[in-house]
Structure formats: structure tokens, C-alpha cells
Amino acid sequence: MKSIRELYKIGKGPSSSHTMGPARAAELFRQEHPEADAFQVILYGSLSKTGIGHGTDRVLQEVLAPLPTEIIFSRENVPGSHPNTLDFIAWKDGSEIARLRVESIGGGDIRIEGRKDVIGEEVYPENSFAEIADYCKWRYISTLSEYVEINEGPEIWDFLAEVWAAMKKSIEDGLNATGTLPGGLGVQRKAKYLLQQELATEVPQVRECRIICAYAYAVSEQNADNGTIVTAPTCGACGVLPAVLRYFQETRHVGDDVILRGLATAGIIGSLTKRNASISGAECGCQAEVGTACSMAAAALAEMYGLNIDQVEYAAEMAMEHHLGLTCDPIGGLVQIPCIERNAVAAMRAMNACNLSYFLCGTRNISYDMVCKAMYETGLNLSHQYKETSEGGLARMYDRRRGRKVIKST
């Protein structure tokens, strides 16, 4: 399994698969062909259908500037390829000099046709939660954060400290911002409003919901506004984990060292899902993005509360199990509706899953490996209309009611 460094990426939104991945590929292609005087990029699948709303064309133009770049939104299917596939073509003096096919596989990672894996080296010998649990039992390792340090080395804590600092800043920036998000839907920022709506008669349960949701909204709104966030595991699901981590730190009065242990544990869950299933909404729907984020957050909470590895697994499993079948149907191809609100709801579900795992762990029948496999199979069997194409679900209903497209190509 890859390092958790490959999971957490600090970058700009709104989409790890539609902007971060293509930008990474464009930078690589340009470096390899400095002699080119023009570029052409052909987008397929989900990249073609929601690329304008996600800003794929914009980011490609920015990376390849000042050279002229033609973006083609193809309706052609590419059999056997990831739904987020794109072709780069380099031109010089009117002739094609190079071509490269790239798949943006989620979380900002790319896979290049005919080349060795560019994501990173294998760090963990174990590739399932069962294998990890067995190893920890054999070595008398009581926490997943300790397991992470053994494999990644003590320098992983400096990396996670940077990740946590970026997460906290995205919350603060989101809480301090107001106005309307770009894209044409007229979505108002709500994070600051939520934070300020304290009632004199507010009970603790309502306050917890309001505060956690405000934090999740803050990060997700920053993402939607092309702000800097951390993929956890993706841009579209970036608000879940930071929200629960910050709320835990504020209410439990713990230092950053405790939070970093939570991040390490969450990283293991996200990396397992990334390896054995998918974190791509275009491949497996939103269950792969927000469902994974909810599992990561639930596992992080269980670790920080001092629960054992079995309870951590149960928290993560329960969080994913109740996101199975969740579709990805963004209105207008924008990471706004239902994405922002969904991050807040998933943050609350992570709290619930962690709490239930404390009481019910000994009664469980489902492993995390099992629910991860189920998520992947469910995702592959979902109709393409519900996998980040904006052709079904909420996206279709919204357009039908107004008789128009929300985002139009220019």
C-alpha cells in the first residue's frame, strides 16, 4: 500500500480528479515537450460532461499558457479506460509531434497509459485491514497511528503537521468569507452564518451539530471557490475530516499531537479504500468520496478517543456501510449542490459511527474489507448517469424544472 502522503494533498479546488489531476498531467506533458508551440487536450467521459463546471478547461489553459491550447469535449467512449480520461497532443509548426493518454483516477492522482505507476512507491506491506490488524496483534501494536510511524518513519509527523495547519487555515478562511459562490447557481456561503446562529435556548446536541456543520461548510465552500484545501480523500469530500478534528480539539482540549494521530489513522483508512476500491466519484459515485471521508473521520475519532483497533475498524466500517449506493449528481457539474451540504451531514454521521462503535463493537458481523469491496462493486454497477456526469438525479431534476442548462460552454 502507498504512503498516506499520497492521500493528503494540499492544493486548490474545486476537484481533485477534474482540476488537480489534469493540472498535474499538463505540467508533466509540457515539461516533456518544451519544443511544442501549441497544445490540444481531448476530454472524455466525466471530464467532458462536467469539465466546464469543475473548471477543467480553465486549469488546463492556465497550466499550458501562454501557448495556445484547444480543449475538446469529446462524447466518444474510451472502452477499458477510467471515466476521467484525457489525451494530450503537442504540436509544432502545424504537425503533431507527441501524444499522451492520461487517466485522472481520483484524489489528484494520475495513471499514464504505457508507463509505470507514477503515484509513488509501496510503503506498507499490508494491503487489507485484516492484514494490518494481524500485524499489529503480532507486534503488540495497540494503535494504527503507531503502525503508521513504524512504516512511514518519525518524519511523517512533520508532514501531517503541515496537513493539519492547511486544514485549520481552510476552516478559518471559510468562516471569514461571505458572498456567492461562482458558477451561476447563486449558492450563498453559509459557514459564517451557521457559526453565528447561537440560540439562547440551544441544547448541547444542537450546538454540536451547528458547529461541526459550520466547519464542514467552511472548507467545502473554500473548495467550491477554488481556495486551498487538503484532499481527504478528495476535494469534493474535503470538509468532513477537518470539521470533526477541529471540533474534537476544541471540546476535548487536546494538543496537535493527538490530532496528528487521528490524521494518521484516517490516512490508513483512506489509503486502503483507494487501493482496494476507489475514491473517484466518476468511477464509483459519491460513496467513494464522501463515504470514504466519513469512514476516515470516524476512524480518526475512534483513535483520538483511545478506542482499540477493532473499534476503529467498526467505526470506519459503519460509516461506509451507510453511504453505500450514494450517487454523484452535481448540479451544473459544480462541486456545490449537493456536495457542500453532504460534507456536513457526513461529518455528523462520523460522530455517530464512532459513538456506536464504542458500545457495539463485539456484536458486529461486517469487516471494513468487506464493506470496501461492496462499495466498489456497487459503484461499478451504478448507472453512468449517477457518476459525476450531471445527467441524472438532482442535476437532471434541476435542469428540467428550469428548462435550461445551468452551465453553458462558451
Side-chain angles (χ1 to χ4, degrees):
M1 188 170 66
K2 310 292 185 183
S3 168
I4 62 174
R5 294 172 183 267
E6 302 299 330
L7 184 76
Y8 296 123
K9 297 182 180 70
I10 301 172
K12 289 187 177 296
S15 173
S16 46
S17 60
H18 284 61
T19 52
M20 291 178 67
R24 182 178 178 184
E27 289 170 0
L28 175 65
F29 192 65
R30 180 168 185 172
Q31 290 171 4
E32 293 181 348
H33 302 287
E35 73 280 12
D37 58 22
F39 293 105
Q40 189 178 60
V41 186
I42 306 174
L43 307 179
Y44 302 97
S46 176
L47 286 179
S48 172
K49 294 173 181 177
T50 60
I52 294 177
H54 283 81
T56 309
D57 53 339
R58 171 185 55 79
V59 74
L60 288 170
Q61 296 279 3
E62 289 175 356
V63 172
L64 297 173
L67 296 182
T69 301
E70 180 186 14
I71 309 296
I72 299 174
F73 296 86
S74 174
R75 294 297 176 179
E76 177 187 351
N77 291 322
V78 185
S81 294
H82 192 279
N84 290 330
T85 295
L86 61 166
D87 287 337
F88 289 90
I89 305 170
W91 298 83
K92 184 174 176 60
D93 299 327
S95 298
E96 180 181 322
I97 59 173
R99 182 181 287 254
L100 184 69
R101 173 158 290 179
V102 179
E103 296 174 330
S104 182
I105 59 176
D109 288 331
I110 58 175
R111 184 166 56 216
I112 300 176
E113 187 177 77
R115 296 193 188 181
K116 184 181 178 182
D117 192 352
V118 297
I119 298 175
E121 299 298 324
E122 297 286 331
V123 170
Y124 298 90
E126 294 75 31
N127 291 308
S128 69
F129 199 99
E131 291 176 355
I132 292 172
D134 284 346
Y135 175 81
C136 290
K137 183 178 180 180
W138 172 64
R139 287 286 301 269
Y140 298 101
I141 297 169
S142 60
T143 66
L144 290 183
S145 58
E146 182 182 354
Y147 169 77
V148 168
E149 183 176 12
I150 289 172
N151 287 278
E152 302 264 11
E155 60 274 11
I156 192 64
W157 303 119
D158 291 334
F159 168 76
L160 291 176
E162 293 177 7
V163 167
W164 179 227
M167 285 182 169
K168 288 190 289 185
K169 189 175 189 307
S170 66
I171 293 174
E172 289 300 325
D173 290 345
L175 291 175
N176 289 321
T178 57
T180 304
L181 294 173
L185 287 179
V187 174
Q188 296 292 316
R189 282 180 174 264
K190 303 178 181 70
K192 186 174 183 178
Y193 175 81
L194 264 176
L195 190 67
Q196 294 175 339
Q197 292 304 301
E198 184 174 2
L199 304 175
T201 58
E202 190 171 71
V203 298
Q205 296 90 333
V206 172
R207 183 182 188 280
E208 177 179 87
C209 177
R210 179 174 58 81
I211 298 299
I212 292 174
C213 289
Y215 294 161
Y217 267 82
V219 181
S220 295
E221 287 169 355
Q222 281 299 101
N223 176 65
D225 204 10
N226 307 318
T228 300
I229 49 81
V230 180
T231 57
T234 63
C235 289
C238 64
V240 182
L241 184 57
V244 300
L245 292 178
R246 171 157 168 173
Y247 183 77
F248 181 91
Q249 186 170 50
E250 289 179 344
T251 55
R252 305 295 291 187
H253 309 292
V254 299
D256 282 352
D257 59 320
V258 176
I259 302 301
L260 301 190
R261 293 204 300 271
L263 275 172
T265 296
I268 289 296
I269 298 300
S271 295
L272 281 172
T273 310
K274 185 177 176 181
R275 184 194 186 281
N276 297 323
S278 175
I279 58 170
S280 168
E283 185 175 26
C284 287
C286 197
Q287 57 171 1
E289 296 198 39
V290 167
T292 302
C294 189
S295 289
M296 291 170 64
L301 284 167
E303 166 88 18
M304 295 185 300
Y305 275 120
L307 305 190
N308 62 42
I309 291 178
D310 283 346
Q311 291 169 315
V312 170
E313 180 186 7
Y314 191 26
E317 178 273 313
M318 197 183 313
M320 176 63 79
E321 183 178 350
H322 300 292
H323 280 89
L324 291 179
L326 189 62
T327 61
C328 182
D329 52 352
I331 292 177
L334 298 164
V335 191
Q336 296 180 20
I337 302 174
C339 319
I340 295 172
E341 186 176 276
R342 188 170 283 174
N343 273 250
V345 172
M348 292 303 301
R349 297 291 74 78
M351 301 285 290
N352 295 340
C354 175
N355 291 336
L356 282 172
S357 72
Y358 175 77
F359 295 105
L360 301 176
C361 183
T363 68
R364 71 187 178 98
N365 296 314
I366 307 298
S367 68
Y368 189 76
D369 294 330
M370 191 184 301
V371 78
C372 188
K373 182 178 180 180
M375 183 272 281
Y376 189 51
E377 290 184 354
T378 301
L380 294 181
N381 287 311
L382 278 176
S383 166
H384 74 278
Q385 293 179 320
Y386 304 110
K387 293 192 282 190
E388 211 167 356
T389 61
S390 290
E391 293 179 332
L394 288 176
R396 180 171 176 270
M397 290 300 103
Y398 187 93
D399 285 353
R400 280 191 67 192
R401 290 184 64 184
R402 282 150 184 78
R404 62 178 176 83
K405 294 292 183 182
V406 180
I407 301 297
K408 294 183 178 181
S409 175
T410 56

